[in-house]
Amino acid sequence: MKILEIKDIVRKDVPIYYRRLYSGKAVVELINKSQDIQVDFSIEHKPTGQKEILVTLVDTIDYPLIPLRTALKKAIDDLDSSGGLPD
């Protein structure tokens, strides 16, 4: 399993300044076949300075969810750190 990209990312308007909500499509390579998966995710900054990333899969897939969510969280964190998420 490999996360190829996260595309069509749209930020949802939330009045809470320390929480950002997004939706988009994750292009994932599963068993030598790429698949688009609709995802919703949020990034929340805790008072301790840590980031908490929560991922919700909108589409159902036939693959173990824990490794997929872990890989998506890492890809989202990398996008956030590099400034790749919309403001």
Side-chain angles (χ1 to χ4, degrees), residues 64-77:
L65 295 180
I66 293 175
L68 180 60
R69 282 191 178 150
T70 303
L72 282 170
K73 285 180 183 182
K74 179 164 179 5
I76 291 167
D77 189 31

Side-chain angles (χ1 to χ4, degrees), residues 11-78:
R11 184 173 178 175
K12 298 177 183 178
D13 188 29
V14 178
I16 302 170
Y17 70 92
Y18 56 86
R19 183 180 301 158
R20 296 177 286 157
L21 298 176
Y22 297 93
S23 64
K25 290 185 181 179
V27 181
V28 180
E29 183 179 316
L30 302 172
I31 313 167
N32 297 326
K33 182 179 172 184
S34 67
Q35 182 177 359
D36 287 358
I37 302 169
Q38 184 71 32
V39 295
D40 291 336
F41 58 95
S42 67
I43 301 173
E44 183 173 337
H45 292 274
K46 298 291 184 180
T48 59
Q50 297 175 339
K51 281 194 280 190
E52 181 180 357
I53 300 172
L54 299 173
V55 177
T56 304
L57 301 173
V58 178
D59 296 335
T60 58
I61 62 165
D62 188 25
Y63 194 82
L65 295 180
I66 293 175
L68 180 60
R69 282 191 178 150
T70 303
L72 282 170
K73 285 180 183 182
K74 179 164 179 5
I76 291 167
D77 189 31
D78 292 344

